Amino acid sequence: TSMFKDARSDAEEHIYNKLNLKISEFIELANYDWLLPESRGHASGYITDLVAFLQSTFMSFTNLPEKVAKTSCMSACKHVAVSLLEFIMENNVKQVTMGALQQFNLDLIQCEQFAASAPV
């Protein structure tokens, strides 16, 4: 029994890690211009694609145990939040315009809407 529990635990951990790796691939596409004069008026393309990916992924998680699906969602949202925070906290960011902040805010709003939609 313990061997199967270990295998299950390993499989769950693999799910969380692979999901976070895929999220990191989307995040790597981000290219914030911190001197942007005005926001684009909509979320960045990489965020829209990331949210679409997460929505479809969590729809397919309906066959997983609820605890695994919820933990995956929490892990994914935390990974996105930490990654976005790292963008704005980077040492090379010396100046940020209001347009850049507004663009960043639009991206955050997109992520918040995803989280509020209770994807799992």
Side-chain angles (χ1 to χ4, degrees):
T1 304
S2 70
M3 185 176 6
F4 288 114
K5 285 182 182 178
D6 290 345
R8 178 186 181 125
S9 178
D10 288 347
E12 291 172 3
E13 193 65 34
H14 189 70
I15 290 169
Y16 310 143
N17 290 337
K18 286 296 187 183
L19 185 57
N20 284 343
L21 283 173
K22 190 65 175 174
I23 290 168
S24 292
E25 289 177 17
F26 280 98
I27 298 289
E28 287 173 8
L29 298 174
N31 186 19
Y32 284 103
D33 176 4
W34 296 113
L35 301 177
L36 190 69
E38 287 186 31
S39 74
R40 295 181 199 97
H42 54 82
S44 301
Y46 85 95
I47 286 287
T48 344
D49 292 344
L50 173 60
V51 167
F53 165 75
L54 291 173
Q55 287 172 331
S56 68
T57 298
F58 290 124
M59 277 187 204
S60 69
F61 277 18
T62 55
N63 296 326
L64 291 177
E66 186 177 355
K67 177 187 171 282
V68 175
K70 285 183 176 183
T71 303
S72 296
C73 186
M74 290 295 294
S75 174
C77 289
K78 182 177 179 179
H79 187 64
V80 170
V82 167
S83 298
L84 291 175
L85 181 61
E86 286 174 356
F87 278 134
I88 204 159
M89 300 299 290
E90 287 179 352
N91 287 334
N92 64 348
V93 177
K94 303 292 183 201
Q95 184 178 358
V96 179
T97 63
M98 186 56 78
L101 280 178
Q102 289 169 342
Q103 184 62 49
F104 194 72
N105 187 48
L106 289 171
D107 293 347
L108 291 174
I109 289 170
Q110 186 77 27
C111 294
E112 289 171 345
Q113 287 175 341
F114 167 74
S117 72
V120 178

